[in-house]
């Protein structure tokens, strides 16, 4: 779920609170993966989730100009293997902004995204060799691992559908800087299929979010942005049933035609 939050779509380039250019753009963005120790299963075995410190996305879109502006964008991450994991991500987004004054804007932005990632999350060759060290040694069985996973190993599949909307305000501060603040909500459905024992775990939630950061336009054809996002971790999204917070840092850069 933490990695799913990191991979949710949030375009800092076609959000009109952040980008005040007009025209077509191409670029990309990075969001951080969760930091800290990986989760452990009920047998004390760490799950394999630290495949990359960041999640990249290619982006393209178009933005308008004027007091009432519209913008639309696309995002894409090809399933290129990194450290034994590969993820396909596709997103579409659109928004509207109203600028009653040159120094401030109100805006609404929404996106729809899909992610499918394949990775050896729950069972690797190294963990199979150390299975006697876990509190439940039968959690990884040699014969079952060989029968199900073969020579290529077990690849679990994480799938997520997310729909989000954000409303906020931005200001113009200094030459080309546009700090912003937003409140949002995301509807999420995520599932993880474990190849080793053919089980599927799923969760859905309505997740409130907050977003803040700043855009920067150092020239007529360059758009940069840096920010952070946090989401409420609902009681059904963690084992102990307590509330918590998901968070990520994110940055983006684009060339505007």
């Amino acid at each position: 779920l933490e990695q799913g939050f990191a991979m949710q779509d949030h375009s800092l380039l076609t959000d009109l609170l952040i980008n005040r250019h007009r025209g077509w753009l191409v670029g990309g963005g990075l969001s951080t993966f969760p930091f800290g120790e990986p989760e452990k299963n009920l047998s004390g075995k760490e799950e394999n989730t630290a495949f990359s410190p960041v999640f990249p996305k290619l982006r393209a879109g178009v933005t308008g100009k004027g007091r009432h502006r519209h913008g639309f964008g696309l995002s894409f991450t090809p399933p290129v293997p990194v450290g034994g994991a590969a993820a396909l991500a596709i997103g579409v987004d659109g928004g509207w902004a109203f600028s009653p004054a040159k120094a401030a804007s109100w805006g609404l932005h929404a996106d729809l995204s899909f992610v499918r990632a394949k990775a050896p999350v729950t069972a690797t060759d190294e963990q199979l060799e150390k299975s006697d060290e876990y509190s439940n040694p039968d959690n990884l069985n040699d014969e079952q691992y060989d029968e199900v996973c073969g020579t290529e190993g077990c690849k679990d599949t994480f799938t997520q559908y997310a729909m989000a909307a954000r409303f906020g305000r931005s200001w113009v501060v200094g030459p080309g800087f546009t700090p912003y603040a937003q409140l949002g909500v995301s509807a999420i459905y995520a599932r993880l299929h474990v190849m080793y024992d053919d089980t599927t775990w799923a969760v859905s939630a309505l997740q409130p979010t907050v977003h803040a950061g700043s855009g920067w336009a150092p020239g007529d054809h360059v758009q940069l942005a840096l920010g952070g996002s946090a989401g409420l971790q609902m009681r059904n999204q963690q084992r102990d049933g307590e509330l918590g917070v998901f968070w990520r840092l994110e940055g983006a850069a684009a060339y505007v035609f």
Side-chain angles (χ1 to χ4, degrees):
L1 287 168
E2 287 180 301
Q3 296 219 351
F5 186 76
M7 292 186 283
Q8 284 181 38
D9 210 25
H10 179 204
S11 176
L12 302 180
L13 298 176
T14 49
D15 191 324
L16 297 169
L17 290 182
I18 306 168
N19 184 353
R20 300 211 172 190
H21 282 107
R22 178 183 181 181
W24 293 90
L25 61 87
V26 293
L30 295 174
S31 60
T32 57
F33 261 26
F35 299 109
E37 296 296 324
E39 290 285 341
K40 294 182 179 180
N41 72 359
L42 297 178
S43 296
K45 178 178 66 66
E46 289 186 349
E47 307 292 23
N48 309 298
T49 55
F51 297 100
S52 171
V54 294
F55 188 75
K57 288 186 178 181
L58 302 173
R59 294 193 179 276
V62 61
T63 56
K65 198 171 183 179
R67 295 189 67 188
H68 294 273
R69 294 172 293 143
H70 296 82
F72 304 93
L74 299 170
S75 68
F76 176 67
T77 299
V80 177
V82 177
L88 169 68
I90 302 172
V92 295
D93 66 274
W96 163 86
F98 172 61
S99 303
K102 292 184 178 180
S105 293
W106 295 93
L108 178 66
H109 203 84
D111 56 63
L112 181 66
S113 60
F114 166 79
V115 174
R116 185 181 64 205
K118 290 182 176 291
V121 174
T122 60
T124 65
D125 293 335
E126 293 79 9
Q127 289 173 327
L128 183 66
E129 295 174 359
K130 299 189 300 182
S131 60
D132 291 339
E133 301 176 10
Y134 306 133
S135 59
N136 180 12
D138 292 334
N139 192 50
L140 282 177
N141 179 273
D142 291 349
E143 294 182 0
Q144 181 171 339
Y145 185 88
D146 292 339
E147 179 182 350
V148 175
C149 305
T151 58
E152 297 183 358
C154 282
K155 292 292 183 71
D156 304 321
T157 303
F158 172 77
T159 306
Q160 177 176 268
Y161 302 87
M163 182 171 55
R166 292 172 294 276
F167 177 77
R169 187 172 184 179
S170 67
W171 302 262
V172 176
V173 179
F177 286 94
T178 52
Y180 66 92
Q182 295 172 310
L183 295 176
V185 62
S186 299
I188 305 160
Y189 173 74
R191 68 175 184 263
L192 176 68
H193 175 259
V194 180
M195 183 177 180
Y196 171 78
D197 57 5
D198 194 25
T199 57
T200 300
W201 306 81
V203 65
S204 58
L206 199 63
Q207 188 174 65
T209 60
V210 294
H211 313 264
S214 180
W216 179 36
D220 293 336
H221 298 284
V222 177
Q223 177 65 43
L224 306 174
L226 185 66
S229 296
L232 182 63
Q233 187 177 14
M234 309 299 284
R235 296 184 186 276
N236 71 328
Q237 290 181 306
Q238 59 177 339
R239 189 178 299 157
D240 57 14
E242 299 294 330
L243 293 175
V245 175
F246 294 123
W247 65 275
R248 66 176 182 261
L249 302 176
E250 45 206 355
Y255 183 83
V256 183
F257 296 92

